[in-house]
Amino acid sequence: MQVDLLAGAGYAAPMLPLRIPTVLVFDSGLGGLTVLREVMRQRPDADIVYAADDAAFPYGRLDEPALVVRVLEVMERLVDRFHPDLVVIACNTASTLVLPALRARFAIPFVGTVPAVKTAAERTRSHLISVLATPGTVARDYTRDLIERYAAGCEVILVGARNLAGLAEAALQGEPVADAEIAAEIAPCFVTRGGRRTDVVTLACTHYPLLLARLQRLAPWPVEWIDPAPAIARRTAQLLGPAQIRPEPAMTVAVFTDGSRLSGPAHIALAGFGLARIETEPLPLSI
């Protein structure tokens, strides 16, 4: 598998021609907004489409073959409608499973999101690091291969948080989320060994940085929380080539495959991310 980001290997996609690019940022829900924000900061010249397959959220409930079929089906519709020059898969679950199929199907660059194991191993001093992810990402051989390759000198705690992505989604929708619920999800990340303790936690789900301030506050001791979004945005900017000067504001739009569960606070949050225009591309989950 070719890896784009923090795992180390480069994806040798060609530089795009010098023109105003369209970037599609894709996730199952609202977690990819953390990546979108960084992409928009680094490439304010690009037209941006944020696409959320909320009809199938959360992706962890789909088995692997069904997830591959689903993402390819949704991407076919999105590429046909928006003709993006580059797609960011702002979802660890989809990236670790579907990127090869996407690259085989479409002749455009795809930038994925993988657990930032290499970065965590480089920054730890205690050699105790945690990967906070969804259960599906934790279970995949891909994640364990990253650990063997880049963190052999560390003890890596894999924490499959069953509810944290949903809690992040709920919080952004304006629903009450108790501190105790978040604290229970992150508690297994914090480990002590012979006077050493966890000092780095990598956030291996793009939803989790939505809760970063609360994660920092609820942690039993200070750690470095690694958000992969800046690295994803840097890779995106690299593949897009030099930024362009444009006379008119960039186009930004959010597209949902369901959209019926978007609350008033969610609309306000989307506007805060620069997405005041919201559309629906109906694509019900068929399984």
Side-chain angles (χ1 to χ4, degrees), residues 54 101 104 146 157 166 177 206 225 227 263:
D54 60 324
L146 290 178
I157 310 301
V177 175
T206 55
W225 301 89
D227 176 2
S263 64

Side-chain angles (χ1 to χ4, degrees), residues 22-37:
T22 297
V23 177
L24 172 66
V25 179
F26 176 83
D27 188 24
S28 59
L30 299 175
L33 292 172
T34 60
V35 176
L36 171 84
R37 177 172 50 203

Side-chain angles (χ1 to χ4, degrees), residues 5 24 42 47 52 56 85 94 107 122 128 153 155 178-179 185 188 194 203 217 223 251 257-259 285:
L5 295 167
L24 172 66
Q42 295 199 30
D47 289 331
D85 297 289
E122 291 170 346
L128 275 174
E155 181 176 353
D179 282 352
E185 293 288 301
L203 300 174
R217 177 168 58 83
V223 297
M251 180 274 290
T257 56
D258 181 356
L285 186 63

